[in-house]
Amino acid sequence: VIDRDDVIDRYFASIKLNLIDLLKKDTDSGEFAIDLLMIGKYLERIGDHATNIAEWVIFSVTGTHKEVQS
């Protein structure tokens, strides 16, 4: 789960760039593009939450949290 978060982040960045290109070509698609951007962002946030849960599961098993490790 933790390793896949970077993949999801890259997908979101790609979606954002594609939507920017769409808006440059078709300014009438603004509402549609914003809806898609919001959906993409929500999915990206779900990935972030899943990562946080995975990190806390690791902590509950190992007693070490990723951010505390040196």
Side-chain angles (χ1 to χ4, degrees):
V1 169
I2 295 169
D3 292 340
R4 295 287 183 155
D5 186 53
D6 291 336
V7 174
I8 293 170
D9 292 344
R10 286 192 300 273
Y11 279 137
F12 177 69
S14 175
I15 288 168
K16 188 167 56 172
L17 291 175
N18 285 323
L19 291 173
I20 290 169
D21 288 340
L22 172 66
L23 288 172
K24 288 178 182 176
K25 295 174 186 170
D26 180 12
T27 57
D28 291 335
S29 63
E31 185 175 353
F32 175 70
I34 290 172
D35 288 344
L36 290 177
L37 183 65
M38 291 177 66
I39 291 167
K41 185 60 178 177
Y42 295 149
L43 292 172
E44 188 268 337
R45 288 298 300 142
I46 290 169
D48 290 341
H49 291 304
T51 297
N52 290 338
I53 292 168
E55 288 172 351
W56 283 108
V57 168
I58 291 169
F59 173 76
S60 70
V61 172
T62 67
T64 304
H65 192 268
K66 179 181 177 182
E67 294 178 9
V68 179
Q69 294 176 349
S70 53

